[in-house]
């Protein structure tokens, strides 16, 4: 990874971002990046109004004279997991690189340029290179990602955090104090070893005065595609119980969905299959609660 | 001052951070044992390391072999694998002494999985006594926190100090194997571990999906860079069998770890299925090898134990022949 020069051009570079959401957990492997990606995709599309069951592009709507409820939502996705950046892989944009002129330029995912991503993954010459960083270097990188990236006028900036309560978390919170931080969305799987870590993360959020948007229980049950039997491989209800116990909103459950991991492994057609599943409806319901 | 508090019972939570930090600042150099006489070749290696500014690798007193269970990715089953690997090593030879070190400072899972709780006491030499269950000695940051709801919000420097303490200030006593459960990532803990103690082998755990393999590759690469021998790859959550109809579903993908192992020229030393019993027994603090020793899942972990021992022997023989 090349050494990056620290340059601060604007005093409050994220002041124009309307909503900043942290996706956190405490526990690893619960689906933070997965939820962050699908949340970003749905928020980006939330600007489109579905008319008579057909998705219509903005130009066509203008032609038809329909303007009510149409927006052009711009979403930014920051991959703050410096040692294990997954976002470029999940969105099939690994081969892209981030350019540096005055600042780092985020990488746009779509042709319409309404979803952009910044990740340390774009700065690697080889996707398999290990990123071995001690705390001070992590702090410097996080600071650059927040202050030295040319984000467009974002409606939402979603920050995918690594597990734990360490340098990245402390740095992100220190650097976001003066901005429109909506709060933290906590992801957990239902089992006890996961909810224990999430409980600690919740304490961390309370101590650092980060509003808690709510808890999402991921990998909550698996429905066999053959016999429809639902098995709670990772238990069930742990996330909801934690939310009730600590009096934070419970936003919903997402069942285990093989299509999610197939899509993330580069099978783009799987996104279409995934969008027709019940699991996609679960994410849709969570997004609706988030934006209301 | 810090030691007086420790000797009463376990370390007071509210003063823990400042106590640990001040203790390390004063005492870390004195804690390390004096340099032992070494052969010429190790002296040369030590000299080149010190010239690079790296600390000297010193073995943990009384511990014969150290096996780290790592990944790079979170949530792939490192702790579950570490616990069941330690138990399987004990099961394969009951005369062997085995310990587990939980190096995941931010999210310690070993206390729950091994059904252990603090306080931690000090012995006459002012070393922390590991807690024991199922005949396995365990040490975790989780035993040193009074309230399990409290997060450990530490920057890297504090974490390094804590890891040093868990390595050097614990009375591991005579151990044949110390299994270390690593946290996710490739940061301070991994570097501190690999730079301070000689590690006999690293077990890389991964699930089959690409995003996990990506991090597992990075984790393997890191160990190779810091010259830690990698024993092999464990494919966890490989396949799920529906308990009602018997249909097998590869929920997290198929053959991912096999391909990774081929690519990195490593053997697959374990293939653990996705089974509800493994999660249930981990949550209840009675790991599957102990609670369901005749199950196929327990058998999978025992096979892992056998493969780990075999690989350790192979690497030891290779090192001798060099």
């Amino acid at each position: 990874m090349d050494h990056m020069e620290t340059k601060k051009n604007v005093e409050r570079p994220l002041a124009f971002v309307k909503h900043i959401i942290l996706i956190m957990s405490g526990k690893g492997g619960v689906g933070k990046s997965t939820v962050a990606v699908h949340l970003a995709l749905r928020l980006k599309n939330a600007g489109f109004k579905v008319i008579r069951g057909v998705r219509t592009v903005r130009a066509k709507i203008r032609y038809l004279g329909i303007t009510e409820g149409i927006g052009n939502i711009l979403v930014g996705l920051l991959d703050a997991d410096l040692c294990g950046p997954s976002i470029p892989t999940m969105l099939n944009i690994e081969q892209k690189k981030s350019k540096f002129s005055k600042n780092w330029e985020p990488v746009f995912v779509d042709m319409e340029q309404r979803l952009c991503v910044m990740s340390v993954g774009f700065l690697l010459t080889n996707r398999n290179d290990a990123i071995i960083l001690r705390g001070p270097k992590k702090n410097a990188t996080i600071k650059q990602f927040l202050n030295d990236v040319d984000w467009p006028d974002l409606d939402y900036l979603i920050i995918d955090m690594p597990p734990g309560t360490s340098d990245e978390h402390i740095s992100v919170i220190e650097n976001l104090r003066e901005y429109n931080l909506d709060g933290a969305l906590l992801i957990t799987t239902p089992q006890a070893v996961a909810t224990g870590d999430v409980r600690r993360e919740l304490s961390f959020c309370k101590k650092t005065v980060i509003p808690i948007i709510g808890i999402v229980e991921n990998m909550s049950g698996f429905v066999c595609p053959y016999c429809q039997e639902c098995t709670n491989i990772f238990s069930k209800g742990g996330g909801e119980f934690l939310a009730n116990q600590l009096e934070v909103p419970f936003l919903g459950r997402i069942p285990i969905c093989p299509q999610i991991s197939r899509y993330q492994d580069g099978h783009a057609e799987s996104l279409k299959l995934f969008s027709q599943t019940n699991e996609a409806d679960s994410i849709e319901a969570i997004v609706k609660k988030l934006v209301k | 001052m810090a030691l007086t508090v420790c000797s009463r019972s376990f370390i007071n939570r509210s003063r823990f951070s400042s106590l640990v930090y001040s203790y390390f600042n004063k005492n870390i150099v004195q804690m390390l044992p004096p340099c032992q006489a070494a052969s010429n070749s190790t002296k040369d290696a030590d000299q080149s390391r010190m010239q690079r500014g790296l600390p000297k690798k010193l073995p943990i007193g009384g511990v014969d072999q150290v096996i780290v269970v790592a990944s790079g990715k979170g949530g792939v089953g490192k702790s579950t694998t570490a616990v069941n690997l330690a138990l399987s090593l004990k099961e394969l030879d009951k005369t062997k002494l085995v310990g587990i070190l939980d190096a995941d400072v931010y999210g310690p899972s070993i206390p729950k999985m091994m059904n252990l709780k603090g306080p931690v006491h000090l012995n006459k030499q002012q070393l922390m006594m590991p807690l024991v269950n199922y005949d396995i000695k365990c040490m975790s940051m989780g035993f040193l926190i009074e309230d399990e709801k409290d997060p450990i919000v530490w920057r890297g420097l504090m974490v390094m100090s804590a890891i040093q303490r868990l390595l050097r200030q614990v009375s591991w006593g005579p151990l044949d194997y110390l299994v270390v459960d690593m946290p996710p990532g490739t940061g301070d803990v991994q570097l501190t571990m690999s730079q301070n103690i000689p590690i006999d082998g690293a077990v890389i755990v991964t699930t089959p999906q690409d995003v996990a393999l990506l991090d597992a590759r990075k984790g393997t690469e890191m160990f190779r860079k810091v010259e830690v021998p990698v024993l092999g790859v464990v494919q966890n959550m490989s396949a799920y069998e529906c308990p009602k109809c018997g249909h097998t579903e590869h929920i997290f993908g198929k053959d991912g770890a096999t391909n990774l192992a081929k690519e990195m020229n490593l053997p697959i030393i374990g293939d653990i299925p996705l089974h509800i019993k493994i999660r249930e027994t981990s949550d209840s603090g009675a790991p599957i090898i102990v609670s369901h020793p005749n199950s196929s899942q327990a058998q999978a972990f025992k096979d892992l134990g056998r493969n780990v021992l075999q690989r350790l022997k192979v690497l030891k023989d290779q090192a001798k022949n060099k």
Side-chain angles (χ1 to χ4, degrees):
Chain A
M1 197 173 108
D2 295 334
H3 178 71
M4 294 180 277
E5 296 169 60
T6 307
K7 254 173 104 176
K8 208 175 175 180
N9 288 331
V10 183
E11 261 193 37
R12 295 179 71 230
L14 295 176
F16 51 80
V17 178
K18 297 184 188 67
H19 303 276
I20 301 177
I21 299 171
L22 305 179
I23 310 289
M24 299 169 80
S25 177
K27 183 87 181 79
V30 296
K32 293 178 289 305
S33 301
T34 305
V35 170
V37 160
H38 287 274
L39 181 63
L41 288 169
R42 266 153 188 76
L43 281 172
K44 175 193 86 136
N45 291 331
F48 284 140
K49 191 175 172 69
V50 178
I51 300 166
R52 288 189 226 108
V54 174
R55 241 164 236 269
T56 320
V57 298
R58 191 178 163 90
K60 199 170 173 185
I61 294 166
R62 222 182 284 129
Y63 171 78
L64 292 170
I66 302 162
T67 53
E68 185 183 290
I70 306 302
N72 214 3
I73 294 188
L74 276 171
V75 182
L77 187 47
L78 172 56
D79 188 357
D81 191 345
L82 302 177
C83 294
S86 328
I87 307 280
T89 308
M90 290 185 179
L91 287 167
N92 291 311
I93 51 173
E94 278 182 294
Q95 68 284 5
K96 297 193 181 179
K97 298 287 170 212
S98 174
K99 293 175 204 158
F100 183 84
S101 46
K102 285 185 202 168
N103 281 330
W104 290 100
E105 289 176 21
V107 173
F108 282 95
V109 173
D110 52 347
M111 296 284 288
E112 305 89 19
Q113 298 210 326
R114 289 188 301 110
L115 173 57
C116 59
V117 178
M118 190 60 204
S119 169
V120 78
F122 297 132
L123 310 177
L124 301 174
T125 35
N126 184 340
R127 81 196 280 261
N128 297 330
D129 285 342
I131 307 161
I132 310 169
L133 297 174
R134 285 207 185 266
K137 194 80 180 186
K138 284 186 188 175
N139 300 334
T141 312
I142 293 285
K143 206 170 172 183
Q144 286 212 28
F145 277 177
L146 291 172
N147 296 329
D148 297 336
V149 171
D150 266 338
W151 298 105
D153 284 348
L154 297 174
D155 296 279
Y156 290 92
L157 176 61
I158 296 166
I159 305 181
D160 176 28
M161 302 295 295
T165 45
S166 61
D167 290 275
E168 295 93 324
H169 304 80
I170 301 169
S171 295
V172 162
I173 285 152
E174 277 176 356
N175 283 283
L176 288 181
R177 280 275 167 235
E178 46 193 290
Y179 299 126
N180 302 321
L181 180 58
D182 278 13
L185 181 63
L186 281 119
I187 315 293
T188 185
T189 47
Q191 76 262 49
V193 287
T195 55
D197 286 352
V198 178
R199 196 184 296 272
R200 276 186 275 270
E201 198 79 355
L202 270 162
S203 299
F204 169 75
C205 291
K206 285 185 175 165
K207 283 184 179 164
T208 47
V209 198
I210 304 172
I212 294 162
I213 299 172
I215 291 180
V216 170
E217 185 177 298
N218 195 18
M219 303 197 212
S220 186
F222 175 66
V223 177
C224 176
Y226 275 69
C227 65
Q228 307 306 311
E229 169 88 352
C230 179
T231 312
N232 297 320
I233 305 175
F234 300 117
S235 187
K236 190 168 184 162
E240 188 171 10
F241 176 77
L242 184 68
N244 292 336
Q245 199 183 46
L246 299 174
E247 292 169 2
V248 298
F250 179 65
L251 298 184
R253 282 193 195 93
I254 306 170
I256 296 173
C257 177
Q259 276 80 16
I260 286 187
S261 70
R262 267 170 222 142
Y263 165 64
Q264 286 163 183
D265 283 359
H267 304 283
E269 65 277 6
S270 298
L271 180 62
K272 197 177 170 188
L273 283 169
F274 169 70
S275 63
Q276 293 158 2
T277 61
N278 293 330
E279 292 78 9
D281 294 340
S282 317
I283 297 185
E284 192 70 44
I286 290 163
V287 171
K288 279 191 180 137
K289 285 182 192 172
L290 211 67
V291 298
K292 72 171 182 196
Chain B
M1 175 199 64
L3 293 179
T4 312
V5 175
C6 293
S7 66
R8 292 212 192 287
S9 62
F10 76 103
I11 299 153
N12 181 291
R13 172 190 53 82
S14 63
R15 296 163 64 192
F16 178 59
S17 297
S18 58
L19 277 177
V20 167
Y21 202 65
S22 63
Y23 178 68
F24 285 132
N25 275 340
K26 283 181 212 161
N27 297 312
I28 188 81
V29 174
Q30 288 92 310
M31 264 165 34
L32 299 174
C35 293
Q36 303 292 326
S39 67
N40 280 340
S41 58
T42 47
K43 265 189 188 150
D44 290 339
D46 286 343
Q47 211 165 15
S48 75
R49 283 166 57 77
M50 296 200 18
Q51 277 164 3
R52 294 202 312 262
L54 292 168
K56 195 175 168 187
K57 283 193 193 187
L58 290 163
I60 305 170
V63 175
D64 191 21
Q65 290 187 297
V66 177
I67 306 159
V68 301
V69 178
S71 176
K73 184 87 181 77
V76 295
K78 291 179 291 304
S79 301
T80 309
T81 302
V83 161
N84 285 290
L85 171 61
L87 288 165
S88 78
L89 292 174
K90 186 75 190 174
E91 185 68 26
L92 291 168
D93 187 348
K94 293 210 194 299
T95 62
K96 296 290 183 190
L97 298 166
V98 186
I100 299 176
L101 168 57
D102 186 358
D104 192 345
V105 163
Y106 301 114
S109 310
I110 300 298
K112 185 145 208 72
M113 291 188 180
M114 291 293 286
N115 197 22
L116 284 168
K117 237 179 173 184
V120 168
H121 298 277
L122 297 188
N123 64 9
K124 287 179 188 166
Q125 289 81 35
Q126 303 300 309
L127 299 174
M128 288 188 276
M129 306 274 288
L131 304 184
V132 183
N133 199 1
Y134 310 119
D135 232 353
I136 308 279
K137 292 184 186 177
C138 304
M139 183 49 70
S140 168
M141 194 57 73
F143 302 147
L144 306 176
I145 308 165
E146 185 181 334
D147 190 343
E148 59 178 19
K149 291 197 296 291
D150 279 337
I152 292 195
V153 188
W154 287 352
R155 288 203 185 269
L157 214 57
M158 282 286 285
V159 173
M160 276 167 59
S161 300
I163 294 294
Q164 287 275 25
R165 187 168 199 192
L166 293 176
L167 289 171
R168 307 285 178 202
Q169 286 299 289
V170 174
S171 168
W172 290 108
L175 274 186
D176 295 286
Y177 306 107
L178 178 63
V179 178
V180 182
D181 175 25
M182 301 285 262
T186 47
D188 288 284
V189 173
Q190 288 79 3
L191 281 171
T192 303
M193 248 339 141
S194 50
Q195 286 170 352
N196 283 276
I197 56 165
I199 297 174
D200 295 89
V203 171
I204 304 293
V205 182
T206 183
T207 50
Q209 77 253 60
D210 222 25
V211 285
L213 298 173
L214 198 61
D215 288 356
R217 226 177 254 116
K218 290 182 167 59
T220 312
E221 203 50 57
M222 181 202 66
F223 282 120
R224 284 185 167 159
K225 275 199 169 134
V226 295
E227 293 165 7
V228 169
V230 180
L231 299 177
V233 177
V234 176
Q235 177 155 266
N236 197 16
M237 307 194 209
S238 54
Y240 172 69
E241 192 180 302
C242 175
K244 192 178 176 190
C245 68
H247 165 70
T248 302
E249 180 80 23
H250 293 275
I251 295 175
F252 298 117
K254 199 179 174 185
D255 294 332
T258 319
N259 298 336
L260 170 73
K262 261 190 217 156
E263 191 188 308
M264 306 211 80
N265 200 21
L266 290 168
I268 292 274
I269 53 173
D271 194 321
I272 319 291
L274 180 58
H275 200 282
I276 193 171
K277 254 192 240 158
I278 298 177
R279 185 269 304 164
E280 281 174 345
T281 54
S282 293
D283 271 357
S284 66
I288 195 148
I289 284 200
V290 166
S291 53
H292 298 78
N294 300 321
S295 62
S296 56
Q297 298 82 35
Q299 195 52 50
F301 282 116
K302 284 178 197 167
D303 290 342
L304 168 62
R306 272 187 216 100
N307 291 335
V308 163
L309 290 176
Q310 197 182 25
R311 284 287 292 158
L312 282 172
K313 189 173 179 303
V314 163
L315 289 172
K316 206 171 182 179
D317 291 341
Q318 278 174 2
K320 265 189 204 162
N321 293 336
K322 270 190 188 164

